[in-house]
Coordinates of all heavy atoms in Angstrom, one line a residue:
A1 N 1.8 -0.7 -9.8 CA 0.4 -0.6 -9.9 C 0.0 -0.4 -11.4 O -1.0 -0.8 -11.8 CB -0.1 0.6 -9.1
A2 N 0.9 0.3 -12.1 CA 0.7 0.5 -13.6 C 0.6 -0.8 -14.3 O 0.1 -0.9 -15.4 CB 1.8 1.4 -14.1
R3 N 1.2 -1.9 -13.7 CA 1.1 -3.2 -14.3 C -0.1 -4.0 -13.6 O -0.1 -5.2 -13.7 CB 2.4 -4.0 -14.0 CG 3.6 -3.2 -14.5 CD 4.9 -4.0 -14.0 NE 6.1 -3.3 -14.5 CZ 7.2 -3.9 -14.9 NH1 7.2 -5.2 -15.0 NH2 8.2 -3.2 -15.3
E4 N -1.0 -3.3 -13.0 CA -2.1 -3.9 -12.3 C -1.7 -4.8 -11.2 O -2.3 -5.9 -10.9 CB -3.0 -4.6 -13.3 CG -3.6 -3.7 -14.4 CD -4.5 -4.5 -15.3 OE1 -4.4 -5.7 -15.4 OE2 -5.4 -3.8 -15.9
A5 N -0.6 -4.5 -10.5 CA -0.1 -5.3 -9.4 C -1.1 -5.3 -8.2 O -1.8 -4.3 -8.0 CB 1.3 -4.8 -9.0
R6 N -1.0 -6.3 -7.4 CA -1.7 -6.4 -6.1 C -0.6 -6.1 -5.1 O 0.3 -6.9 -4.9 CB -2.3 -7.8 -5.9 CG -3.5 -8.1 -6.8 CD -3.8 -9.5 -6.8 NE -2.9 -10.3 -7.7 CZ -2.9 -11.6 -7.8 NH1 -3.8 -12.3 -7.1 NH2 -2.1 -12.2 -8.6
V7 N -0.7 -4.9 -4.5 CA 0.4 -4.4 -3.6 C 0.0 -4.5 -2.2 O -1.0 -3.9 -1.8 CB 0.7 -3.0 -4.0 CG1 1.9 -2.5 -3.1 CG2 1.1 -2.8 -5.5
F8 N 0.8 -5.1 -1.4 CA 0.7 -5.2 0.0 C 1.8 -4.3 0.6 O 2.9 -4.6 0.5 CB 0.8 -6.6 0.5 CG 0.5 -6.9 1.9 CD1 -0.4 -7.9 2.2 CD2 1.0 -6.2 3.0 CE1 -0.8 -8.2 3.6 CE2 0.7 -6.5 4.3 CZ -0.2 -7.5 4.6
G9 N 1.4 -3.1 1.1 CA 2.4 -2.2 1.6 C 2.4 -2.1 3.1 O 1.4 -2.1 3.8
T10 N 3.6 -2.0 3.6 CA 3.8 -1.8 5.1 C 4.6 -0.6 5.4 O 5.5 -0.2 4.6 CB 4.4 -3.0 5.8 OG1 5.8 -3.0 5.6 CG2 3.8 -4.3 5.2
D11 N 4.3 0.0 6.5 CA 5.2 1.1 7.0 C 4.8 1.3 8.5 O 3.8 0.7 9.0 CB 5.0 2.4 6.2 CG 6.2 3.2 6.1 OD1 6.9 3.4 7.2 OD2 6.6 3.8 5.1
T12 N 5.4 2.3 9.2 CA 5.1 2.5 10.6 C 4.0 3.5 10.8 O 3.6 3.7 12.0 CB 6.4 3.0 11.3 OG1 6.9 4.2 10.6 CG2 7.4 1.9 11.3
G13 N 3.5 4.1 9.8 CA 2.4 5.1 10.0 C 1.2 4.9 9.0 O 1.4 4.6 7.8
S14 N 0.0 4.9 9.5 CA -1.2 4.7 8.7 C -1.5 5.8 7.7 O -1.9 5.5 6.6 CB -2.4 4.4 9.6 OG -2.7 5.5 10.4
E15 N -1.2 7.0 8.1 CA -1.5 8.2 7.2 C -0.7 8.1 5.9 O -1.2 8.3 4.8 CB -1.2 9.5 7.9 CG -2.3 9.8 9.0 CD -2.1 11.2 9.6 OE1 -1.3 12.0 9.0 OE2 -2.7 11.5 10.6
T16 N 0.6 7.8 6.0 CA 1.5 7.7 4.8 C 1.1 6.5 4.0 O 1.1 6.6 2.7 CB 2.9 7.6 5.2 OG1 3.2 6.5 6.1 CG2 3.4 8.9 5.9
L17 N 0.7 5.4 4.6 CA 0.3 4.2 3.9 C -1.0 4.5 3.1 O -1.2 4.1 2.0 CB 0.0 3.1 4.9 CG 1.3 2.3 5.3 CD1 0.9 1.2 6.3 CD2 1.9 1.6 4.1
D18 N -1.9 5.2 3.8 CA -3.2 5.6 3.1 C -2.9 6.4 1.9 O -3.6 6.2 0.8 CB -4.1 6.4 4.1 CG -4.7 5.5 5.2 OD1 -4.6 4.2 5.1 OD2 -5.2 6.0 6.2
A19 N -2.0 7.3 1.9 CA -1.7 8.2 0.8 C -1.1 7.3 -0.4 O -1.4 7.5 -1.5 CB -0.7 9.3 1.2
T20 N -0.3 6.4 0.0 CA 0.3 5.5 -1.0 C -0.8 4.6 -1.6 O -0.9 4.4 -2.8 CB 1.4 4.6 -0.4 OG1 2.4 5.4 0.1 CG2 1.9 3.6 -1.5
G21 N -1.8 4.2 -0.8 CA -2.9 3.4 -1.3 C -3.7 4.1 -2.3 O -4.1 3.5 -3.3
V22 N -4.0 5.4 -2.1 CA -4.7 6.2 -3.1 C -4.0 6.3 -4.4 O -4.5 6.1 -5.5 CB -5.0 7.6 -2.5 CG1 -5.5 8.5 -3.6 CG2 -5.9 7.5 -1.3
A23 N -2.6 6.5 -4.3 CA -1.8 6.6 -5.5 C -1.8 5.3 -6.3 O -1.8 5.2 -7.5 CB -0.4 7.0 -5.2
V24 N -1.7 4.2 -5.5 CA -1.7 2.8 -6.2 C -3.0 2.6 -6.9 O -3.0 2.1 -8.1 CB -1.4 1.7 -5.1 CG1 -1.7 0.4 -5.6 CG2 0.1 1.8 -4.7
E25 N -4.1 2.8 -6.2 CA -5.4 2.6 -6.9 C -5.6 3.5 -8.1 O -6.2 3.1 -9.1 CB -6.5 2.7 -5.8 CG -6.4 1.5 -4.8 CD -7.4 1.7 -3.7 OE1 -8.0 2.8 -3.6 OE2 -7.5 0.7 -2.9
E26 N -5.2 4.7 -8.0 CA -5.3 5.6 -9.1 C -4.5 5.2 -10.3 O -4.8 5.4 -11.5 CB -4.9 7.1 -8.7 CG -5.9 7.8 -7.8 CD -5.4 9.1 -7.4 OE1 -4.3 9.5 -7.6 OE2 -6.3 9.9 -6.8
A27 N -3.4 4.5 -10.0 CA -2.5 4.0 -11.1 C -3.0 2.7 -11.7 O -2.4 2.2 -12.6 CB -1.1 3.9 -10.6
G28 N -4.0 2.1 -11.1 CA -4.5 0.8 -11.7 C -4.2 -0.4 -10.9 O -4.5 -1.5 -11.4
G29 N -3.7 -0.3 -9.7 CA -3.4 -1.5 -8.9 C -4.4 -1.7 -7.8 O -5.2 -0.9 -7.5
D30 N -4.3 -2.9 -7.1 CA -5.0 -3.2 -5.9 C -4.1 -2.9 -4.7 O -2.9 -3.2 -4.8 CB -5.5 -4.7 -5.9 CG -6.5 -4.9 -7.0 OD1 -7.2 -4.0 -7.4 OD2 -6.6 -6.1 -7.5
W31 N -4.7 -2.5 -3.6 CA -3.9 -2.1 -2.5 C -4.4 -2.7 -1.2 O -5.6 -2.8 -1.0 CB -4.0 -0.6 -2.4 CG -3.4 0.0 -1.1 CD1 -4.0 0.4 0.0 CD2 -2.0 0.1 -0.8 NE1 -3.1 0.8 1.0 CE2 -1.9 0.6 0.6 CE3 -0.8 -0.2 -1.4 CZ2 -0.7 0.9 1.2 CZ3 0.4 0.0 -0.8 CH2 0.5 0.6 0.5
H32 N -3.4 -3.1 -0.4 CA -3.7 -3.5 1.0 C -2.5 -3.0 1.8 O -1.4 -3.3 1.5 CB -3.8 -5.0 1.1 CG -4.0 -5.5 2.6 ND1 -5.2 -5.5 3.2 CD2 -3.1 -5.9 3.5 CE1 -5.0 -5.9 4.4 NE2 -3.8 -6.1 4.6
G33 N -2.8 -2.2 2.8 CA -1.8 -1.6 3.7 C -1.9 -2.1 5.1 O -3.0 -2.2 5.6
E34 N -0.8 -2.3 5.7 CA -0.8 -2.7 7.2 C 0.4 -2.0 7.8 O 1.5 -2.0 7.3 CB -0.6 -4.2 7.3 CG -1.9 -5.0 7.1 CD -1.8 -6.4 7.6 OE1 -1.0 -6.7 8.5 OE2 -2.6 -7.3 7.1
V35 N 0.1 -1.4 9.0 CA 1.2 -0.8 9.8 C 2.0 -2.0 10.4 O 1.5 -2.9 11.0 CB 0.6 0.0 11.0 CG1 1.7 0.5 11.9 CG2 -0.2 1.2 10.4
A36 N 3.3 -1.9 10.2 CA 4.2 -2.9 10.7 C 5.6 -2.3 10.8 O 6.0 -1.4 10.1 CB 4.3 -4.1 9.7
D37 N 6.4 -2.8 11.8 CA 7.8 -2.4 12.0 C 8.7 -3.5 11.3 O 8.7 -4.6 11.7 CB 8.0 -2.4 13.5 CG 9.4 -2.0 13.9 OD1 10.3 -1.8 12.9 OD2 9.7 -2.0 15.1
A38 N 9.4 -3.0 10.3 CA 10.3 -3.9 9.6 C 11.3 -4.6 10.5 O 11.9 -5.7 10.2 CB 11.0 -3.2 8.5
G39 N 11.6 -4.0 11.7 CA 12.6 -4.5 12.6 C 12.0 -5.5 13.6 O 12.7 -5.9 14.6
S40 N 10.7 -5.8 13.5 CA 10.1 -6.7 14.4 C 9.8 -8.1 13.9 O 9.1 -8.2 12.9 CB 8.7 -6.0 14.9 OG 7.9 -7.0 15.5

């Protein structure tokens, strides 16, 4: 995000993803999060 990346983040819980989204946007990146199971 410090490089102004557009970050699409996935994980199994929305709360942790939301926290990462806040950190990404504060660092200068764009954020999109989706709940997903990497094993699916």
Side-chain angles (χ1 to χ4, degrees):
R3 305 172 181 220
E4 301 182 336
R6 291 165 283 177
V7 181
F8 191 126
T10 78
D11 213 318
T12 54
S14 59
E15 289 185 11
T16 56
L17 278 176
D18 289 345
T20 300
V22 171
V24 164
E25 290 174 352
E26 287 178 349
D30 292 334
W31 170 257
H32 176 82
E34 284 194 22
V35 173
D37 178 0
S40 165

